[in-house]
Amino acid sequence: MIMRCIAIDDEPLALRQISGYISKIPFLELAATFRSAVSAQEWLKENSTDLIFVDINMPDMTGVEFVQTLEIPAMVIFTTAYAEYAIEGYKLSAIDYLLKPFGLNDIQRASEKALSLYELLQLQEQLGGDTLQDESPTEGAEEGVLSVHADRKTHLVKMSNIVYLESAGEYVRLHLVDGTKLVTLFRLKNMESELQSSQFMRVHRSYIINLNHISGYTKGRVFLSNDDYVPIGENYKEQFTNYIDSK
C-alpha cells in the first residue's frame, strides 16, 4: 500500500533532508515539496495527499495554522527545532512530532504509525463503514488480559506486554513489547477504564503508558523501554511527578 505525501519546510536544507528520507521509505510517494504553507495551500486546492510532513515554525504561516485551515483532513507529522511547540502539535491529533535534528529511523517510525492508521481506514471503507469491533473490547481485563479486535481477528493481549496506548481519533493504537502495533476502533478514554490503574497512567490526552516500561524521563517527555517516548501533557505533569517522587 502506497501513501502520497507532501513536505513543507521554509529551510531548503531541511526540506532536502526530509525528501531524501522519504525516498528511502518504500510505502511513501513524495508528491510535492513546498517552501511555504501558502504554496502548499494552493497546491491542495487541485490535488490531494494522504500524509503531510510540515514544519511548525515558518514565517508566513505556522504549521499549526496551516493544518487548522485544511478543508480536507489529512494525517500530519509535525517537524520543528523547537520543543515548546510539541503541545500545539498534539492538540491537533498529529500522528507524530519529530524534533530536529531527526534521522531516518525517526521518520520511518512516524511513517509506520501513519501507515497502520491509513490501512485501517481503508479497510473500514472497503467494509462499508461497518464497525470493526464489538462495543466491549476487553473481556478478561480483570485477569490482566485485553481482548482486542484488530486486523479482522481478536487478539488476547497481556497487559504486561503493552508498552503504551496511543489515541488516533476514533482509534487506539497499542504498542507492544515485541514491536507489534495493533490498531482498534475504540476511544482511549473508554479503554482506560478497563486497564489496571496500578500499572497504567495517562500522561497526555492522547497517551497512556505502562509504568513498568518507563526507562527515563525529561522535561515534557517520558521514555519507554523500547527506546520510544511520548509527551507529558500539562494537565498530567503533577500526577506523573508525584508518581516519580514516590519511587
Side-chain angles (χ1 to χ4, degrees):
M1 187 170 287
I2 302 296
M3 290 191 299
R4 280 168 53 88
C5 65
I6 62 174
I8 311 167
D9 199 307
D10 64 307
E11 298 178 6
L13 180 60
L15 193 58
R16 285 198 300 272
Q17 184 182 56
I18 196 169
S19 298
Y21 289 151
I22 290 172
S23 70
K24 296 178 181 179
I25 300 176
F27 55 83
L28 292 184
E29 174 190 325
L30 184 60
T33 61
F34 303 94
R35 293 277 305 279
S36 76
V38 173
S39 299
Q41 276 185 324
E42 290 300 314
W43 185 87
L44 286 170
K45 290 179 181 178
E46 309 249 343
N47 302 275
S48 63
T49 186
D50 302 309
L51 177 63
I52 299 172
F53 293 89
V54 57
D55 186 24
I56 289 184
N57 190 34
M58 294 186 290
D60 56 348
M61 178 187 296
T62 71
V64 171
E65 291 169 341
F66 166 75
V67 172
Q68 290 173 332
T69 66
L70 291 178
E71 294 182 8
I72 301 177
M75 293 182 291
V76 174
I77 295 175
F78 283 113
T79 64
T80 187
Y82 302 94
E84 60 267 27
Y85 290 113
I87 299 301
E88 292 184 71
Y90 281 113
K91 283 181 180 177
L92 292 173
S93 299
I95 294 293
D96 209 339
Y97 174 93
L98 300 179
L99 185 62
K100 299 175 182 178
F102 52 82
L104 177 59
N105 289 340
D106 299 310
I107 198 168
Q108 173 89 33
R109 184 183 68 235
S111 299
E112 287 175 352
K113 290 181 182 180
L115 179 64
S116 63
L117 180 56
Y118 180 75
E119 289 176 337
L120 183 62
L121 293 172
Q122 292 296 308
L123 176 59
Q124 186 181 12
E125 187 175 318
Q126 292 169 14
L127 296 175
D130 291 340
T131 301
L132 299 183
Q133 69 163 47
D134 298 330
E135 267 311 298
S136 176
T138 54
E139 287 183 20
E142 68 280 0
E143 299 174 4
V145 175
L146 292 179
S147 177
V148 178
H149 298 265
D151 306 322
R152 298 189 180 184
K153 61 183 178 182
T154 299
H155 301 259
L156 297 179
V157 181
K158 290 184 178 180
M159 291 192 187
S160 59
N161 288 336
I162 300 173
V163 179
Y164 67 98
L165 302 93
E166 175 185 7
S167 173
E170 299 290 327
Y171 304 88
V172 172
R173 184 182 294 109
L174 287 80
H175 297 256
L176 307 185
V177 171
D178 64 0
T180 300
K181 300 178 183 66
L182 298 178
V183 181
T184 184
L185 184 62
F186 209 71
R187 287 185 175 274
L188 189 65
K189 66 179 181 180
N190 294 335
M191 189 169 284
E192 181 179 16
S193 64
E194 303 291 342
L195 298 170
Q196 296 172 341
S197 58
S198 61
Q199 187 176 351
F200 292 87
M201 178 182 293
R202 192 162 191 159
V203 296
H204 187 277
R205 64 190 295 268
S206 298
Y207 293 94
I208 297 174
I209 63 170
N210 186 331
L211 297 170
N212 296 325
H213 289 290
I214 295 176
S215 63
Y217 63 95
T218 186
K219 183 179 180 180
R221 293 180 180 181
V222 54
F223 292 84
L224 303 161
S225 58
N226 62 348
D227 296 325
D228 207 350
Y229 65 84
V230 302
I232 303 173
E234 288 294 331
N235 294 335
Y236 303 90
K237 282 184 178 179
E238 182 177 356
Q239 179 187 12
F240 180 76
T241 300
N242 290 339
Y243 169 77
I244 293 298
D245 290 343
S246 70
K247 295 301 174 182

